[in-house]
Amino acid sequence: MNAPKTETRRAGGIDYTLTRRRVRNINLRVRADGSVAASAAPRVPAAVVDAFVASRAGWVENARAKAAAHARWDAAADAALPDKKQALAQMTALCRAYYPQFASTCPGGAFPRIAVRDMRTRWGSCSLKTGTLAFSRRLCVAPRAAQEYVVVHEFCHFAHPDHSPAFWAAVEAVLPDYRQRRKLLR
C-alpha cells in the first residue's frame, strides 16, 4: 500500500498540511499545537481543498484559540502538580483507606500495586492481569471527593471489569453520591 502523500499549502491566510488518502469528504482539523491539517481524496483538486480551507478560516481561528487556552490551562495545572513520589504516596494512602472494603475482590486478596502516571485522557485504570491500580498525577489536585470516586471506581473493576449495571451498583454501594463526585472531574 502506498503511503499517503502530503504537501504544505496556504489558503485564506492559513498554512496547512494536505494529506491525500482514501476519504469520502474533505476533512479539516486543528491540532493541539495549533497547526492545521486537511485530508482529501487524490481525485479532489487542490483548488477545491484550498477553497474549503479558506471558507473555514473563522472556525480554524476559533479552534486555534481553544487549543491555546487548553495548552495554557494544562501548563498551569502541571505547575501545581506534586512530584511523582508525593503523588504516589497520596494515592497509596487513599487506596489503603478503601482497601478493607475491596480486599475480597482484589487479585489474591492482596493490596494492589499502585502506580501514578502522567495520563492525560484518563483519571485511572485497573489491570486485573497485574493487580495494579494506576492513577493520573493530575488527579492529585482534584477535589478529595473526586479522588475518592476514582479510587472506588478502579477498585470496583476488580470485581466487575466492565461498566455494567452491576459495576455501577458496586460503586453506588460504597459512594451513594458518586454521580455528583464524578461531575467534579469534568
Side-chain angles (χ1 to χ4, degrees), residues 9 33 42 44 57 60 70 76 88-89 91 106 109 120 157 163 168:
R9 300 190 57 84
D33 65 0
V44 177
V60 168
H70 192 75
L88 181 60
M91 295 313 299
C106 291
R120 294 216 173 258
H157 277 308
H163 289 113
W168 291 112

Side-chain angles (χ1 to χ4, degrees), residues 9 11 17 25 28 42 71 79 90 97 112-113 128 135 151 157 170 182:
R9 300 190 57 84
T17 303
N25 301 308
L28 185 64
Q90 180 179 337
R113 181 177 164 268
L128 295 172
F135 300 98
V151 166
H157 277 308
R182 186 171 55 183

Side-chain angles (χ1 to χ4, degrees), residues 69-115:
H70 192 75
R72 284 191 302 274
W73 184 87
D74 278 350
D78 287 351
L81 292 179
D83 65 33
K84 280 196 174 184
K85 187 177 179 180
Q86 291 171 318
L88 181 60
Q90 180 179 337
M91 295 313 299
T92 299
L94 191 53
C95 288
R96 286 204 187 284
Y98 279 95
Y99 170 71
Q101 296 174 64
F102 296 100
S104 64
T105 62
C106 291
F111 184 76
R113 181 177 164 268
I114 307 299

Side-chain angles (χ1 to χ4, degrees), residues 106-170:
C106 291
F111 184 76
R113 181 177 164 268
I114 307 299
V116 173
R117 300 188 181 120
D118 287 322
M119 297 188 279
R120 294 216 173 258
T121 58
R122 295 177 172 200
W123 292 109
S125 67
C126 172
S127 172
L128 295 172
K129 187 176 181 180
T130 63
T132 302
L133 297 180
F135 300 98
S136 171
R137 193 164 58 115
R138 295 171 62 177
L139 183 61
C140 294
V141 295
R144 174 75 176 204
Q147 293 175 32
E148 291 173 348
Y149 161 72
V150 174
V151 166
V152 169
H153 181 111
E154 298 309 333
F155 264 119
C156 286
H157 277 308
F158 284 135
H160 307 279
D162 52 19
H163 289 113
S164 65
F167 167 83
W168 291 112

